[in-house]
Amino acid sequence: MTTLKSKLQEDLNAAIKERDELRSSTLRLTLAAITKEEVAGKEKRELSDDEVQKVIAKEAKKRREAAEAFGQGGRAEQAERERAEGVILDGYLPQQLGDDELKQIVAQAVEEARAAGAEGPRAMGAVMKIVNPKVAGRAEGGRVAAVVKQLLAG
């Protein structure tokens, strides 16, 4: 079975052969982030595919934030590059949930939390606890929290 990390490595080698500078530099940086994570603890260890996915998601989020910052700073070329790197990384992540799908999952969780007696501000934490495992890796935390707030307020 091919691990996600070895898939990244294979894709990096292919990108280098194809002289695809954008793809090879993106994958190189991501593999470096994975390695850094592997040696972060007391002992070096292999990351599971789930952990590798979390690193990729974190890297993709960094690209989106950088693209936004460059965009606001009037540096369109850099913003475009960051966006392109983000798109490459998104290809290694599970399909992101659409807005309607996310709202549906959150609405269900809100009902569950209310049925369990969670009301008012405390409901936020209860709902997030129910929603997070269901959307893991398929929706960014901030996006999920915004929908939860919106539905709890509504």
Side-chain angles (χ1 to χ4, degrees), residues 6-138:
S6 57
K7 168 103 178 88
L8 289 167
Q9 194 61 59
E10 286 165 22
D11 291 355
L12 170 60
N13 293 337
I16 292 169
K17 278 190 190 111
E18 291 157 18
R19 290 192 163 72
D20 183 338
E21 192 276 326
L22 176 71
R23 189 172 201 88
S24 59
S25 84
T26 304
L27 294 177
R28 206 176 264 127
L29 286 168
T30 304
L31 282 161
I34 291 166
T35 303
K36 188 176 153 197
E37 195 65 34
E38 287 177 332
V39 298
K42 285 189 163 80
E43 286 181 29
K44 187 180 186 326
R45 63 193 183 89
E46 262 313 294
L47 294 186
S48 70
D49 277 358
D50 280 350
E51 292 169 310
V52 169
Q53 226 164 40
K54 281 192 182 112
V55 173
I56 296 172
K58 203 159 53 181
E59 290 293 309
K61 184 179 180 187
K62 275 187 209 164
R63 302 304 192 285
R64 277 192 294 280
E65 289 169 353
E68 216 168 281
F70 281 134
Q72 288 166 352
R75 296 168 67 184
E77 213 170 286
Q78 268 111 340
E80 200 40 60
R81 163 116 190 169
E82 295 289 339
R83 246 180 253 112
E85 290 184 5
V87 168
I88 290 171
L89 294 174
D90 285 341
Y92 294 95
L93 295 171
Q95 189 61 49
Q96 294 296 295
L97 290 169
D99 290 341
D100 293 342
E101 217 176 340
L102 181 59
K103 268 196 186 115
Q104 216 173 349
I105 292 170
V106 171
Q108 219 175 343
V110 168
E111 279 172 39
E112 272 179 57
R114 287 207 174 118
E119 284 297 328
R122 278 204 341 269
M124 178 85 185
V127 173
M128 290 300 283
K129 258 191 204 115
I130 299 168
V131 171
N132 280 334
K134 293 181 180 172
V135 300
R138 297 188 304 148

